Amino acid sequence: MSYNTWIVLIGASLLGMVCAAVGTFGVLRRQALLGDVMAHTALAGAALAVWVSGTRSLPIMLATALLTGALGLLLMEWLRRVGRLRTDAAQALVLATGFGLGIVLSRVVQNVSPAGARSGLDGFLYGKAASLVRQDVFLLAAVAALLLGAIVLLWHRLKLTCFDPEGATSQGLAASRWVQAMNAALAIVVIVALPMAGIVLSAGLTILPVLAARFWTDRLAKLLGLAMILGGATAAGGIALSAAQPGWPAGPSVVLMAGLAFLVSFLFAPKRGLLGQEQARIRGVRAIQLRAHLLATQRGLTGPVSPEGEREARRRGLIDGTLLTPAGSEWLRSEEARLGR
Amino acid sequence: MADSLVLILALTMAGLACGWAGLPLILQKDSMVGDGISHAILPGIVLAFWVTQSREPLPMLVGALLAAGAMVLLMQLMTRVRIVPRDAALGATFTLLFAIGVIGLNQVARQVDLDPGCVIYGLAEMIPLDTVLLGGVYVPRAFFILCPAAVLAGLAVWFGRREIMLGLLDPAHAQLLGRNPRRLKLAILIGVSCVVVACFEAVGSILVVALLVGPGLAALSLTHRFEKALAGIAVASLLNAVLGVTLAQVTNTSVAGMVAVSAGVLVVASILVRQLLEKRNQALASSSR
Amino acid sequence: MIPALEVAGLNVAYGVNWVLQDVDMSVEAGSLTAIVGPNGAGKSTLLKAVLGIVPKLSGVVSLAGQPFTGADPRVAYVPQRESVDWDFPVSVEEVALMGTYGHMRMWGRPSRADRDRAAAALKDVQLTPLRHRQIGQLSGGQQQRLFLARALAQNASLLMLDEPFSGVDAASQEAILGILEGFAQRGGTVLAVHHDIATVQRAFDHAILLNRTLVAQGPVSSALNRANLKAAYGDWFDPQEDA
């Protein structure tokens, strides 16, 4: 592999890890779509930077994008507090208005300098992971280190704020401040990710690895670790995929890999996955239904307490007509003993 | 001048269709679904291009509708597992579908000329230019889809308003009275998908997202009645279109972008007006005491 | 006498969590019956499973001796106040009118008689002067009374309520109890989930004591005796302190 591919690979993995880290708290706080909103508001900031400064310097664009992101957060808070809007409504409105403003401003930029100026902004829409350079990797590594340090330092507060905001407030932790800090972290990471992954896809990177990890653990520390591993691994996998397949853009390939990781976990994770849960449920349900029907039969109840239980009992020869067979009484007795009745 | 009027008319109609369909969407707390659908339709459009190898609008609409339906169903399936919250299910579904769409787009882009920017920004400025001769008059082609969309959305929400209120306010009560609240919610999502698909070609997906929630939220800030909110949405749509088109022409910028900005400004303005009215009422109440 | 509501062999699970086990119960017609039990006992789940909002794994529910299908306007339901979206753009009058939608066809409109019934129901709960208000502008007690008016307009024979006194002041609680007693005196049956044993002992005549499975049921004095309460709440329960 060439030096450039290595840079892109390392950069993308770091990106996947930090996105997953902030996304973990976002998903748990039912703010999964906040990254999407922040990413949409960033176009306005980036265009503003190009318009005002006349250059396409990435650091300046990111700084102004953070500024518009912060304004978006404040507007959302105002809409919820003063406007009494629900979170989803405030998010949708800020997203659409912010992105509309971004389109308007990028047209202004285009009007001012028709040639070429927009190409930098177009990169914000879809992302250009292949254009990652060494400095980006250093930036990402710095963001990752800062973020991890903050998470370790604030671990207990973050945990409490995620699961029980009211409890956190009653303990004098000023939960709203921590909520705002988590929102700000999510905004920073998504906006840093934008030039590489683009708007929708960087939002996806804050959700898909986290949801995938969620199917394998219930503990926050493990969830965070696993989400970061999955985020990094799927990002590397996506870059490899796009390098191997000409015409496969990097950002979408990364999201596709994360999506596959999610779909596999969603369907096949034992215990928590759809199939495992359905299987466990059906097995548990069968036993409950069978027991319910046998109990009803024992008590001489004739109503259809559970048609499924009746079918199962008949199949296993535990009932005969409306009476329990000896095998049926035995099954019921052992089941009741197992339940401690 | 005439072109501006045509543009205002078209955008008002798009506002009516999206705003009316969006009201039940807001009330069932699915405001972000509009954003999700508008991104998730991309693979459907790409599929239509790939199959027909052309830019015919009809296969494109069918493809978009299929993709929207797939997103809604996938989202419903995900929430069957208890650990997936609804917002995360939405985010996971539409980002994945969008990624697939972009990859597909890169595959077909070499065969057909397809600009993803059109899907997002829309071609609102082109509406007055793209006309069809009908009975001696040049009628913009977009009218043939925006008009029916607005009329159908209006009829559905008006005649369905009692069922919508019954099913969304208290699903358990609705079920006791023989209704199926789950089917109602699904019907609302499918109806919104149809409106999104009908409008995005003419006005662009970002404007669709803005118009689904903007007029409805502006109206709900100022009235507590469903019927009045429907009328308020009509007023807000017209104001949005006039304000947006005028601003876009004065500043020589994007119409779709400006109308989206106007939608947000209008909501903020309605909230401020409500604050003002509430303060005045409080002052009146305390002075009469 | 045929019970107003009868449940046999009811089992409910959320995922793999077995919430209600083998619940048999019967609610006497014309009674004021309370469902009592500790937190997490499955009280609300019991109501929801009976109504069919939560799926039953097993069990038969019969309403006045007939199988109950879940869609039956003879049963009215008043949800927990916290679960209602009080910002919903709907007026007091319209909510009361929703009680009459049972016989209205889809896409239909309420008749003159329906409107009269809703107005009478609002008068019964003394909300007529507030009929044009949006529902969020009512106090907690008024909101409960409004949902009671909806149930009255529905002409239901069985009224099921989930924590009707939560977030309600003492005066409103008495007003709501008055309405419920009036409903029972006219032959209706009331089944309410309630956590405060003192109120149940004072105002209800029957009780169902639940802790995942049925602990006791019957007239309040016998169902809520010391031994049963201990069995449901555990040893730390002190009726003196709680009552």
Side-chain angles (χ1 to χ4, degrees), chain C:
Chain C
M1 197 168 151
I2 303 168
L5 179 77
E6 207 168 15
V7 175
L10 178 68
N11 280 281
V12 176
Y14 288 134
V16 290
N17 186 9
W18 195 0
V19 186
L20 288 177
Q21 308 178 352
D22 313 310
V23 175
D24 299 317
M25 68 172 198
S26 126
V27 179
E28 208 171 284
S31 71
L32 282 162
T33 302
I35 300 175
V36 187
N39 283 336
K43 302 181 295 258
S44 296
T45 306
L46 177 57
L47 280 196
K48 288 180 182 160
V50 166
L51 291 171
I53 307 167
V54 165
K56 299 187 279 285
L57 297 188
S58 72
V60 259
V61 178
S62 29
L63 185 71
Q66 300 294 316
F68 173 66
T69 56
D72 193 329
R74 284 177 300 168
V75 179
Y77 175 60
V78 177
Q80 253 181 61
R81 214 162 57 81
E82 291 77 31
S83 70
V84 175
D85 172 11
W86 295 104
D87 291 330
F88 206 86
V90 67
S91 69
V92 167
E93 200 170 42
E94 283 170 319
V95 171
L97 196 56
M98 282 181 188
T100 68
Y101 285 10
H103 57 85
M104 188 180 85
R105 274 180 302 125
M106 283 254 278
W107 313 97
R109 47 182 303 167
S111 65
R112 186 72 247 165
D114 292 339
R115 289 182 189 282
D116 290 344
R117 238 176 44 230
L122 277 182
K123 196 157 170 258
D124 283 350
V125 302
Q126 298 175 339
L127 283 178
T128 310
L130 306 179
R131 65 186 180 279
H132 296 305
R133 290 237 183 130
Q134 192 261 340
I135 53 174
Q137 296 166 348
L138 301 181
S139 71
Q142 288 166 340
Q143 288 173 341
Q144 281 298 351
R145 268 150 57 200
L146 170 58
F147 274 68
L148 283 176
R150 186 184 73 179
L152 296 179
Q154 196 181 325
N155 265 345
S157 58
L158 172 63
L159 179 49
M160 298 213 244
L161 309 99
D162 198 346
E163 293 285 0
F165 307 119
S166 79
V168 158
D169 61 48
S172 293
Q173 180 170 330
E174 289 313 305
I176 293 166
L177 275 171
I179 296 166
L180 293 181
E181 274 158 16
F183 180 78
Q185 272 158 18
R186 291 193 300 274
T189 309
V190 174
L191 178 63
V193 165
H194 191 44
H195 63 269
D196 178 26
I197 291 166
T199 316
V200 172
Q201 282 170 334
R202 188 167 55 80
F204 286 78
D205 46 43
H206 284 68
I208 291 165
L209 189 55
L210 191 75
N211 190 4
R212 299 216 158 200
T213 178
L214 184 77
V215 178
Q217 64 175 332
V220 165
S221 53
S222 64
L224 299 186
N225 66 28
R226 212 187 156 87
N228 287 340
L229 286 174
K230 252 193 174 144
Y233 285 82
D235 283 335
W236 52 267
F237 177 76
D238 180 1
Q240 238 56 49
E241 180 194 295
D242 214 85

Side-chain angles (χ1 to χ4, degrees), chain A residues 191-239:
Chain A
I191 288 169
V192 168
L194 271 186
M196 295 155 244
I199 292 178
V200 180
L201 304 177
S202 46
L205 291 182
T206 63
I207 303 174
L208 288 165
V210 181
L211 272 190
R214 185 67 186 84
F215 284 94
W216 302 94
T217 177
D218 281 331
R219 298 184 51 92
L220 181 59
K222 278 190 190 163
L223 176 66
L224 182 68
L226 192 57
M228 287 176 71
I229 292 171
L230 279 176
T234 53
I239 295 296

Side-chain angles (χ1 to χ4, degrees), chain A residues 10-11 47 66 72 82 118 200 228 231 236 245 254 274 276 280 320 324 332:
Chain A
I10 296 170
L66 281 174
V82 181
R118 238 189 88 184
V200 180
M228 287 176 71
Q245 295 279 341
V254 169
L274 185 68
D320 181 19
L324 283 183
L332 200 54

Side-chain angles (χ1 to χ4, degrees), chain A residues 286 289-290 292-293 296 302-315 319, chain C residues 9 56-60:
Chain A
R286 280 242 178 87
Q289 286 174 334
L290 176 60
H293 185 78
T302 49
V305 163
S306 170
E308 300 89 344
E310 183 177 5
R311 223 173 301 132
E312 181 76 7
R314 211 174 288 285
R315 195 178 64 78
I319 52 169
Chain C
K56 299 187 279 285
L57 297 188
S58 72
V60 259

Side-chain angles (χ1 to χ4, degrees), chain B residues 167-180:
Chain B
L168 294 186
L169 178 66
D170 185 355
H173 173 67
Q175 186 175 319
L176 280 170
L177 301 191
R179 306 318 202 264
N180 188 334

Side-chain angles (χ1 to χ4, degrees), chain B residues 17-29 157 164 168 188 192 211-213 215-217 219-220 225-227 229-230 233, chain C residues 89:
Chain B
C18 294
W20 282 335
L23 183 61
L25 193 71
I26 295 169
L27 293 179
Q28 73 174 37
K29 304 173 192 94
V157 181
I164 291 169
L168 294 186
I188 290 172
V192 168
L211 293 179
L212 276 174
V213 292
L217 292 177
L220 287 175
R225 301 294 290 272
F226 195 90
E227 287 87 350
L230 292 179
I233 286 169

